[in-house]
Amino acid sequence: MGKLDPNFIKPFVGGTIETLKVQCQIVATPGRPYAAGSAVTPSVDIAAIIGLTSKAFNGSIAICFPKKTFLKLMNAMLDMQAEEITEDFEDGAGELLNIIFGFAKRHLNDAGHEIQKAIPTVVRGQNLKIWHKRDVPSGIIPFTSTVGDFYIEVAIE
Amino acid sequence: MNDAVDPAFVKPFIVGTQQTLKKQCQLEAKPGLPFTRGKARECDGDIATIIAVNGKSVRGSFAIVFPSITFLRLMNSWLGEKFDKIDKSLEDGAGELINIAFGHAKSELNALGHGLELARPSVVLGAQSSIKHLTDVPVLIVPFVVASIEFQVELALKKVA
């Protein structure tokens, strides 16, 4: 198993912090990244995934939320008091990831990678797990925030 | 405004899925009548695999969604082993299936000059999960029956100018 280049991870971390600050006025703090599977991740109820394609690599990035965190985040972003995840909120998860992706893409493309625009998909379910191929290095970046924990998962080959 | 793709784009994904199951699992999968999301009942999703479609003339996502009973049956036929539940050992199975199906669609569409790029699938596991494709085109659901049980293919494809 190869190692993820930290230079790929940083723009996504930066994008996440920036996006939550601007869109939701929430301060998110990244924890220490670790290889997927090497520690317990919080239970996930909604996740947005985006496929990355570029000349040099393929991969995917996902942002994964427990329901509690996600609802607080969306309520902050949309100034609402919802108690259940609705369809509008699914759009919200994808929109957040889109903004994060756009931020990271700009940075990576400035560094000479030609990452294509991609469309996110949002998955909802109970106790979701995202699987990557075993031979693809994937890293988890845990975040803590004033509205709870969540994480992003980056897998690049 | 109609950005939805031509049915000609959809067919290679359906045929790719069918051929993949036939070759890998020796199972005959029959596609039903495709419908737009919301117009008919969809199957339960316990495991889903998604791949990004990025091409010169089309962009979007392709997903296959399986109830666990269907997925276990397919893995059983493919790997010649009986599985009672979806676990880590089947991790690559779903992704591999969509990879092969996508490969088929890609080579067919690229022969026509659509320039689809190689992409990597993501696999998501979770009881009662549903996928939302973030696109403004209608999501096409293709119900399938294989070994008398169901699964579905989801396609959200948008024309690129």
Side-chain angles (χ1 to χ4, degrees):
Chain A
M1 187 161 139
K3 273 196 84 177
L4 267 181
D5 185 344
N7 288 325
F8 279 126
I9 306 244
K10 271 186 211 151
F12 292 104
V13 173
T16 305
I17 296 170
E18 190 66 23
T19 305
L20 292 190
K21 196 162 85 191
V22 173
Q23 305 298 325
C24 316
Q25 289 80 48
I26 280 167
V27 179
T29 316
R32 209 183 148 76
Y34 54 87
S38 67
V40 181
T41 44
S43 150
V44 176
D45 301 299
I46 183 161
I49 305 166
I50 209 164
L52 304 175
T53 46
S54 89
K55 282 201 178 122
F57 61 86
N58 279 305
S60 60
I61 155 169
I63 182 162
C64 305
F65 301 101
K67 185 173 157 189
K68 251 173 40 196
T69 309
F70 183 70
L71 282 174
K72 284 187 187 158
L73 212 76
M74 284 295 122
N75 284 335
M77 181 161 116
L78 305 169
D79 198 15
M80 285 171 64
Q81 298 289 333
E83 282 168 16
E84 281 304 318
I85 298 176
T86 63
E87 202 161 310
D88 288 347
F89 281 16
E90 291 182 347
D91 284 344
E95 202 46 57
L96 278 182
L97 183 65
N98 236 345
I99 303 172
I100 296 169
F101 177 73
F103 179 98
K105 185 172 132 226
R106 226 171 21 249
H107 276 249
L108 290 170
N109 286 358
D110 282 348
H113 302 286
E114 291 170 39
I115 298 183
Q116 308 280 331
K117 193 170 163 2
I119 297 171
T121 41
V122 174
V123 188
R124 234 171 99 180
Q126 297 154 16
N127 212 345
L128 293 174
K129 283 189 191 68
I130 297 179
W131 281 349
H132 302 283
K133 276 179 75 174
R134 254 169 284 190
D135 51 354
V136 175
S138 69
I140 306 265
I141 303 113
F143 282 84
T144 50
S145 76
T146 44
V147 294
D149 294 345
F150 67 95
Y151 64 88
I152 62 177
E153 186 162 347
V154 181
I156 284 167
E157 117 183 279
Chain B
M1 192 173 79
N2 185 10
D3 288 329
V5 295
D6 204 279
F9 273 106
V10 171
K11 214 173 158 207
F13 291 96
I14 298 179
V15 176
T17 304
Q18 253 181 320
Q19 290 205 345
T20 304
L21 296 186
K22 193 169 177 180
K23 268 197 199 137
Q24 308 300 327
C25 311
Q26 287 80 47
L27 289 173
E28 215 54 71
K30 275 216 184 74
L33 206 59
F35 59 90
T36 310
R37 167 155 282 165
K39 299 277 191 230
R41 190 193 68 90
E42 298 184 25
C43 74
D44 281 345
D46 297 313
I47 181 162
T49 173
I50 306 155
I51 203 161
V53 178
N54 264 321
K56 271 189 259 169
S57 40
V58 65
R59 182 170 291 153
S61 45
F62 166 41
I64 309 182
V65 176
F66 303 99
S68 60
I69 178 174
T70 313
F71 183 69
L72 290 170
R73 176 73 181 80
L74 294 180
M75 289 298 119
N76 174 214
S77 299
W78 191 10
L79 306 169
E81 223 180 288
K82 202 138 176 66
F83 303 98
D84 300 325
K85 62 178 182 57
I86 302 177
D87 63 20
K88 266 287 200 194
S89 70
L90 300 174
E91 186 168 15
D92 289 351
E96 214 41 62
L97 282 183
I98 201 170
N99 232 348
I100 305 171
F102 178 72
H104 175 96
K106 178 168 155 279
S107 65
E108 200 149 295
L109 290 170
N110 285 1
L112 301 169
H114 295 299
L116 258 58
E117 286 173 47
L118 189 69
R120 243 177 35 72
S122 314
V123 177
V124 185
L125 177 74
Q128 304 278 315
S129 41
S130 61
I131 299 181
K132 164 117 189 173
H133 304 267
L134 295 176
T135 163
D136 46 10
V137 295
V139 176
L140 193 71
I141 308 290
V142 188
F144 271 88
V145 172
V146 65
S148 313
I149 40 180
E150 56 183 0
F151 73 92
Q152 72 187 26
V153 161
E154 304 187 12
L155 283 162
L157 299 175
K158 187 176 179 162
K159 264 192 275 191
V160 182

